[in-house]
Amino acid sequence: MQGRRVVAVLSLSSLISLWSLALPAQEPDTGPGEKKPVVEEKISRTQHVITLDGQRIPYTATAGTLVLRAEDGTPRASVFHIAYTKDGVKDPAERPVTFAFNGGPGGPAVWVHLGAFGPKRVELDPEGFPLPPPARLVESQESILDVTDLVFVDPVSTGFSRPAPGVDAKEFHGLENDIESMAEFIRLWITRNGRWGSPRFLAGESYATTRVAGLSDHLLNRHGMRLNGVILISVILNHQDNRFNIGNDMPYITFLPTYTAAAWYHKKLPPELAGDLHGTLKEAERFAVEEYGPALLLGDWLPAERRRQIAEKLARYTGLSVDYVLRSNLRVEHARFCKELLRDRRLTIGRIDARFTVTDLDAVGEYGEFDPSLTELDAPFIEATLDYVRGELGYREDDHLVYERLSPKVFPWHYPNHDGRYANLAESLRLAMMKNPAMKVMVVSGYYDLATPYFAADYTVAHMGLSEADRKRVRFAYYDSGHMQYIRREDHRKLKRDLAEFFRNAAP
């Protein structure tokens, strides 16, 4: 399977009884001859049954929009979401609820929904590579619906979520604004559905780890809502660790072990490193912090002989040539690494998942034409989502809207409280943990993720200033896949086991 590229698939399951209902929101007059805009909440509910680990679970799927309003009742945004709630639960305290997001920013909750957690998943080959079209959905035995209700949320300007008429979309496009609007959605959903007595969890992938880290503290401060747990998938909390800017040496250190993993997968390492991946990665991690980091800190003060020694070791751990490493000033940016590693084969590797490859027209360029892993895993999930939402879930209200995914419309994304510095939401997570001693955290990482490397997540948590007791509240889980660990079947099964244990410990 190594280096293999295919194109993915999805299927649709049997249609179960459904009904739709639209809830028009009648707005009061704002003044003589003037009315507030009318924004409707559109909902479709359908009944289903799934069997997980021998347990029969009847559940209700709710697909539709929830309107966020200002305190005077003025609509601000319509947020699309899909919720799965187990039927027949009499006591909310017995049933956790998890709010799940994808990242971007600009991404709807497609991949965590139909890849990781939901009762249906996109069918891929066992290694996670796409199958030929059309996309196909199958029942997911790795769903976590047996341990928690699920709410998949599309932030404003993603999926079918939109600002209300007359409201500037820019009011939602930024770190703090996004956290505030998603916190209001969570508060409103919890209130509407009578779930203040339920254990509550957040799950986010990629930029959504930034979002949920901020939410964990904001929900407590603004709404008095404590969380039982936070699940961080493919983590980016301290953005300094991932930004290849001139003068910032951190990402070269935190990305290095993932360069090693990619080189190992594509058989570019020397024989003594080509055996056990995990042992090789531990060796690369030690080199990164004990030798490589200090060498970068010296800059031009690094002696020529030591510079050559570091370049030779970098070449050994990355599969690149010593000459290329030296010409890169010991600093190989990740997009260039994706292009350079298999240049001799005219292949570019994936950023989201380094196991994917594509042949570029320009084999001598510095950057690839596109990320094969992101591109190949985009269309199958979107095809499946639109087929599933309209068909099995019966939601057909927004045909006039394009389902926005990884939308450029959210940019520029603003960080007003972080001007002049890198956003670091690890501090928000730390504060939430200190204010809420019961909250637990799970960190999920893939070895082949060149977007949010596993070692960057480890480094960030190691620099949160947690006590020894508090560090025990953080669980780490690693997988032999990329940014979307769940696309690989064996890793998806492991993720299900790891999450089930996490929920048992966080909400006993």
Side-chain angles (χ1 to χ4, degrees), residues 238-244 248-260 284-285 288-289 292-293 296 447 449-460 463:
N238 186 348
H239 288 235
Q240 182 179 4
D241 299 342
N242 295 66
R243 297 289 185 256
F244 289 89
N248 179 33
D249 284 334
M250 281 309 308
Y252 301 104
I253 301 166
T254 58
F255 274 67
L256 175 62
T258 300
Y259 291 173
T260 301
E285 292 167 15
V289 297
Y292 185 39
L296 295 184
Y447 290 124
D449 180 3
L450 279 164
T452 57
Y454 80 91
F455 195 55
D458 294 355
Y459 179 91
T460 296
H463 288 76

Side-chain angles (χ1 to χ4, degrees), residues 374-425:
L374 180 61
T375 301
E376 292 184 21
L377 292 171
D378 175 25
F381 279 83
I382 301 305
E383 292 170 4
T385 296
L386 296 178
D387 191 24
Y388 177 56
V389 167
R390 284 184 55 81
E392 189 161 345
L393 300 188
Y395 181 83
R396 305 178 183 182
E397 300 293 339
D398 288 323
D399 293 352
H400 61 291
L401 295 179
V402 171
Y403 192 79
E404 295 285 355
R405 84 273 190 239
L406 298 177
S407 174
K409 293 181 179 180
V410 305
F411 295 105
W413 193 258
H414 301 288
Y415 298 84
N417 292 338
H418 297 266
D419 287 347
R421 59 192 174 97
Y422 294 100
N424 183 5
L425 276 294

Side-chain angles (χ1 to χ4, degrees), residues 93-94 96 199 201 228 438 440 502-508:
E94 297 177 356
F201 291 80
N228 292 77
K440 293 181 171 59
F502 177 75
F503 277 94
R504 282 194 299 269
N505 292 331

Side-chain angles (χ1 to χ4, degrees), residues 5-26:
R5 295 174 52 249
V6 240
V7 184
V9 155
L10 287 153
S11 106
L12 206 53
S13 312
S14 56
L15 186 65
I16 315 192
S17 65
L18 60 88
W19 67 91
S20 297
L21 59 106
L23 305 174
Q26 300 297 329

Side-chain angles (χ1 to χ4, degrees), residues 21 73 130 174 188 204 232-233 265 287 310 335 338 346 358 371 407 414 438 465:
L21 59 106
L188 187 55
L232 305 174
I233 301 173
Y265 182 85
F287 168 71
I310 293 295
C338 290
R346 200 181 164 189
V358 66
D371 178 355
S407 174
H414 301 288

Side-chain angles (χ1 to χ4, degrees), residues 355-369:
R355 300 175 303 149
F356 287 66
T357 63
V358 66
T359 301
D360 281 338
L361 176 65
D362 179 9
V364 298
E366 285 300 301
Y367 301 101
E369 295 177 286

Side-chain angles (χ1 to χ4, degrees), residues 20 51 96 124 151 265-266 272-273 320 333 384 410 413 457 483 506:
S20 297
T51 301
L124 305 170
V151 186
Y265 182 85
H266 292 290
E272 67 273 16
L273 297 177
L320 306 178
E333 189 266 339
V410 305
W413 193 258
H483 197 71

